[in-house]
Amino acid sequence: MNNKHVAAAPVAHAPDEPSGNHSQQIMTEKHTDEGRMRRIRAKQFITDRASGIVVVLVLVGVVSGGIGYYTHANPPVETEQRTVSSWEESTSLTHQATVQRSNPVFDRGETLSDREVYFTRLSPEFTGTHAYAFQANESERLDVELDAMLRYRAVGEGNQTYWQHTTPLNERRYEALEPGETATISASINVSEAATELDRIRSEIGSNTGRAEIAIVYTARVAGSVDGRTVAETHRTQLGVEPSGSTYAVVPSGTGRSPHVTTTEVETEGSYGPLRAYGPFVVLLGSILGAAGLWTLKRREKLSPTAEELTALERHRERTEFGDWISRARVPGHALEGTRIDVESLEDLVDIAIDSNERVIEDPSRELFFVAGERFHYTYAFETPDADDATVAVDQSADSEPQPSRTDADARAESTTDAPPSGVVTGEPDHPT
């Protein structure tokens, strides 16, 4: 390694700061420097790729504009269900019994209606009535066939039928029944006689297996058309009879309303949400403004890093490259006394430190790199871009002491008070990441 300048001169001391405060200062300067380097790199990146970034922004704007145009030119199609026709059927059951015997509670000939319990001795016979009706939007007509039958049967678990016997009771037919009209059919049975018949059937079968039931079953068969659609419906209801000695209960089931709704799918024009509808145009505007602004800044050379920033970036790169051999610390003034050798580059100073098994000390306050030696100490300082070379070459003869050249670091050191500490170097090492 070639050394350009060799000089020797006493150097004034700089005051030493407390190690804790100085360490914190060094860490703060390091973090500030890293942030500044990131900003310079970002400026350099944008400057080098400004044309490409403008092209990308233009392409993004074109694509966003196309998406926005397509969005408004092709609104979404929504499918909804619409009712084409709607009509409703209903069935109901009523029952009543007439008091046939004189008694102190009810008048003879009095009609008892829809009671939970009837008295077998007073009213052995009851009448059940089934009613059918329908409602439609238009004046439609339906043909309705009604019939009633007396059913005996025995059922097991799960409503399984073991045997069944039916006897017709009544039937009626209604032609062209209109909406709102009611078709009815009535049927009467003598509960005492029905209970006797049930016992006779079970006796002839020779088995009491299952639960014996007596019921009047009504069937309504409906045919015709509603809203131009063919109708063919069958409805079954029943009045269950439960004899219990001196009383019997009548239990209706199977009644209610049966709505019929016919729908069709209809496609309608919908709308997009605000993000889809206006987002592409926001991106388009942002792309245009970004491309125009970036191109203007590039042409006016407002993006490029300054010469000072480029120099600082290069110094940082070089400092990072040799970071494994460099530690940040404060070099006391007395350590700079004696013979100093200024080297040409940081790389040369690192080579000297490696050969002498020493660390390179970076003193940010002096803007100086330092390596201690037994007879000499070695220094390197980054040159200011437009500064004159202040290093003076001195004739080194055998009869005279070599004199050091004056640098900016020497001038700062001489302007401070000499207060040498007990050690040579204070501060914290800069551990590379």
Side-chain angles (χ1 to χ4, degrees):
M1 178 177 61
N2 297 323
N3 299 322
K4 289 181 63 176
H5 308 292
V6 178
V11 181
H13 300 292
D16 296 322
E17 299 177 358
S19 60
N21 294 338
H22 184 60
S23 174
Q24 183 178 2
Q25 179 184 359
I26 290 176
M27 295 301 296
T28 301
E29 292 175 352
K30 179 181 179 182
H31 292 158
T32 303
D33 188 57
E34 289 292 340
R36 182 181 178 223
M37 293 304 108
R38 283 194 294 269
R39 291 191 294 271
I40 296 173
R41 290 194 194 97
K43 292 174 64 175
Q44 186 67 45
F45 179 88
I46 295 175
T47 300
D48 294 342
R49 296 165 176 80
S51 299
I53 295 175
V54 170
V55 171
V56 171
L57 290 175
V58 171
L59 291 177
V60 170
V62 171
V63 173
S64 300
I67 294 175
Y69 172 79
Y70 179 84
T71 297
H72 287 269
N74 300 275
V77 176
E78 297 179 353
T79 302
E80 63 180 21
Q81 299 286 335
R82 287 188 179 177
T83 300
V84 177
S85 63
S86 174
W87 65 290
E88 183 181 73
E89 299 174 284
S90 63
T91 57
S92 62
L93 289 171
T94 59
H95 50 85
Q96 62 185 26
T98 302
V99 178
Q100 299 179 3
R101 293 178 180 271
S102 299
N103 64 89
V105 179
F106 304 104
D107 295 333
R108 185 174 182 178
E110 181 180 351
T111 300
L112 307 177
S113 302
D114 299 324
R115 296 174 64 91
E116 292 184 359
V117 174
Y118 295 96
F119 298 98
T120 306
R121 186 173 182 276
L122 299 180
S123 306
E125 185 177 290
F126 86 95
T127 300
T129 301
H130 167 87
Y132 169 85
F134 78 99
Q135 298 292 336
N137 295 328
E138 299 181 8
S139 180
E140 304 288 349
R141 291 177 174 82
L142 296 176
D143 296 332
V144 182
E145 293 182 359
L146 303 174
D147 65 64
M149 64 177 61
L150 178 59
R151 183 187 68 193
Y152 303 94
R153 70 174 182 174
V155 296
E157 294 182 1
N159 209 32
Q160 179 182 1
T161 301
Y162 294 138
W163 59 264
Q164 177 176 291
H165 175 71
T166 59
T167 300
L169 296 177
N170 194 10
E171 64 179 21
R172 293 190 68 178
R173 178 179 176 83
Y174 292 82
E175 294 184 358
L177 186 71
E178 295 185 355
E181 293 184 341
T182 303
T184 62
I185 185 172
S186 297
S188 301
I189 65 170
N190 187 299
V191 177
S192 298
E193 294 177 356
T196 301
E197 178 66 13
L198 177 63
D199 291 338
R200 185 190 67 81
I201 294 174
R202 298 181 74 180
S203 177
E204 291 185 359
I205 292 175
S207 173
N208 292 329
T209 303
R211 183 181 70 256
E213 293 182 348
I214 302 173
I216 300 177
V217 179
Y218 301 91
T219 303
R221 297 178 179 87
V222 182
S225 65
V226 176
D227 293 337
R229 297 178 180 274
T230 302
V231 174
E233 302 289 338
T234 300
H235 304 278
R236 285 187 174 84
T237 60
Q238 71 176 36
L239 289 172
V241 182
E242 300 177 354
S244 179
S246 61
T247 62
Y248 63 91
V250 180
V251 182
S253 63
T255 60
R257 298 179 179 274
S258 300
H260 301 274
V261 179
T262 303
T263 62
T264 185
E265 290 186 352
V266 179
E267 292 184 349
T268 59
E269 181 177 309
S271 60
Y272 292 107
L275 181 62
R276 175 69 184 274
Y278 304 106
F281 296 107
V282 174
V283 175
L284 172 62
L285 179 62
S287 301
I288 294 175
L289 294 178
L294 186 60
W295 185 254
T296 300
L297 292 175
K298 177 177 173 58
R299 295 197 62 179
R300 294 180 179 179
E301 296 183 353
K302 298 293 185 180
L303 288 176
S304 303
T306 63
E308 179 184 356
E309 289 176 331
L310 291 176
T311 300
L313 184 63
E314 177 61 25
R315 290 178 177 179
H316 181 76
R317 182 202 63 76
E318 187 177 3
R319 168 64 175 80
T320 303
E321 180 181 355
F322 301 110
D324 290 343
W325 293 275
I326 300 174
S327 297
R328 286 196 176 191
R330 178 68 179 272
V331 180
H334 71 85
L336 297 174
E337 296 177 352
T339 304
R340 182 184 68 218
I341 300 177
D342 296 325
V343 298
E344 291 184 342
S345 68
L346 183 58
E347 180 180 4
D348 292 337
L349 189 63
V350 170
D351 288 340
I352 293 173
I354 295 174
D355 293 340
S356 58
N357 198 25
E358 294 286 346
R359 295 287 296 176
V360 176
I361 304 302
E362 178 185 10
D363 189 340
S365 63
R366 301 179 186 273
E367 298 182 2
L368 183 72
F369 294 89
F370 171 86
V371 173
E374 294 181 359
R375 298 177 55 194
F376 312 103
H377 60 268
Y378 305 87
T379 62
Y380 171 75
F382 289 121
E383 294 183 358
T384 303
D386 296 327
D388 296 332
D389 187 4
T391 305
V392 179
V394 180
D395 182 26
Q396 301 183 34
S397 62
D399 298 330
S400 63
E401 290 291 331
Q403 298 295 323
S405 61
R406 289 179 58 83
T407 64
D408 293 340
D410 297 333
R412 285 192 298 274
E414 293 176 358
S415 65
T416 60
T417 304
D418 186 10
S422 58
V424 174
V425 178
T426 63
E428 293 184 358
D430 181 16
H431 295 287
T433 58

